[in-house]
Amino acid sequence: MVDHYPLGLTGRDRVESAFGGGLPEGSVVLIEGEDGAGKSAITQRFAYGMADTDVYVTYVSTELASWEFVQQMNSLSYDVVEHLLGEQLLFLHADIDTHNRGQQRELLKRFTEAKTLWMADVIYVDSLSGLLRNDPRYEAVAGTGDEDHVLQRLVSFLRTVTEMDKTVVFTVDPTSVSEEALRPLRNVVDVYFELETSAVGQDIRRNVRVRRFQNMKEPVDDSIGYTVQQGRGLSIVSRTVA
């Protein structure tokens, strides 16, 4: 039987119950969505809830510096300072602007070889597309149809990580990298969420389309509606039964 990493905050929101009671241990999770869809808000809520339930978490951001991360989390009422100081949560800023650093530009290689990063139970990478499109191996094959070879190396590495019951969560903007590049990862992920947004009058409706969820702890609907609000964070607003 597969154990799960809880999403916590059960007395505050319905996120854990909406997402099947937690993420399976030893799984790879993919959260896809275009810019502004809410990928960061979801991963930040997941990471905070896990750290709050004594799960050790690493959070890698290609966009936020440490102070920006703390500020953004605070705006969502996720006070991570205690978790950071207590080393329950490790935040790392990934500097992807490395075009003048020679071999150091091999971002995916540096990512997999960063031992401290992989010491946690759950590792969040927001976003993989940011690392990928700035990696020279990807740049060398972009547009050739051979982009999938770059991700194959990462997929092989992830097998060794998940065998240790660690869970890895990636966010990806599918409009910023090729379909060929993402195919190897999409094929092997255990949990696959696709974020959708639509305008209804003055409102923006956000939705998680559950494309795949293996080894779920509890039943999960195929569609999960949510909102992101300052001072409240992530809230589940509706469900659609398959």
Side-chain angles (χ1 to χ4, degrees):
M1 183 176 179
V2 176
D3 290 326
H4 294 74
Y5 292 115
L7 299 177
L9 307 185
T10 54
R12 172 174 166 174
D13 60 36
R14 296 190 292 123
V15 171
E16 180 169 290
S17 59
F19 287 90
L23 300 180
E25 292 185 6
S27 63
V28 179
V29 181
L30 180 61
I31 302 176
E32 279 194 21
E34 296 184 12
D35 185 37
K39 301 184 295 299
S40 295
I42 289 178
T43 54
Q44 288 164 5
R45 163 59 183 84
F46 284 9
Y48 177 72
M50 285 185 177
D52 206 51
T53 56
D54 296 329
V55 176
Y56 285 94
V57 174
T58 294
Y59 195 102
V60 180
S61 174
T62 60
E63 296 182 354
L64 301 177
S66 57
W67 67 270
E68 292 173 315
F69 175 73
V70 171
Q71 187 178 67
Q72 182 163 315
M73 294 289 273
N74 185 62
S75 73
L76 299 173
S77 292
Y78 301 146
D79 186 3
V80 295
V81 173
E82 183 177 340
H83 300 314
L84 290 167
L85 294 177
E87 299 183 352
Q88 197 72 39
L89 171 62
L90 171 66
F91 175 82
L92 297 172
H93 169 64
D95 181 7
I96 59 176
D97 185 15
T98 58
H99 283 73
N100 296 315
R101 300 186 185 179
Q103 292 301 312
Q104 291 185 349
R105 291 183 60 218
E106 295 194 16
L107 299 177
L108 290 179
K109 184 174 184 289
R110 294 170 63 193
F111 168 64
T112 57
E113 293 178 350
K115 294 182 179 180
T116 302
L117 182 159
W118 298 101
M119 293 175 66
D121 301 313
V122 183
I123 298 90
Y124 290 85
V125 183
D126 183 30
S127 67
L128 177 61
S129 45
L131 290 175
L132 185 60
R133 67 174 180 265
N134 287 278
D135 189 285
R137 291 183 181 271
Y138 179 78
E139 292 177 338
V141 296
T144 67
D146 292 329
E147 295 93 333
D148 57 331
H149 296 164
V150 180
L151 261 293
Q152 286 288 4
R153 298 185 181 93
L154 178 61
V155 167
S156 297
F157 171 78
L158 292 174
R159 292 193 184 99
T160 66
V161 173
T162 55
E163 285 174 357
M164 296 184 286
D165 290 333
K166 297 179 185 293
T167 291
V168 188
V169 182
F170 294 106
T171 69
V172 167
D173 180 351
T175 65
S176 66
V177 293
S178 71
E179 290 285 315
E180 290 80 6
L182 293 177
R183 187 181 301 116
L185 188 61
R186 285 171 172 164
N187 288 342
V188 302
V189 294
D190 306 281
V191 182
Y192 182 6
F193 299 140
E194 186 177 10
L195 308 190
E196 304 169 332
T197 59
S198 60
V200 180
Q202 299 292 324
D203 298 328
I204 299 296
R205 293 189 178 178
R206 303 179 184 275
N207 188 66
V208 178
R209 182 72 61 183
V210 181
R211 296 297 186 188
R212 188 181 310 146
F213 204 138
Q214 298 176 358
N215 299 314
M216 65 180 70
K217 184 178 181 180
E218 301 168 0
V220 177
D221 294 331
D222 68 337
S223 183
I224 304 168
Y226 68 97
T227 62
V228 180
Q229 298 177 344
Q230 284 197 353
R232 293 189 60 185
L234 189 72
S235 299
I236 305 301
V237 296
S238 65
R239 291 186 178 185
T240 301
V241 179

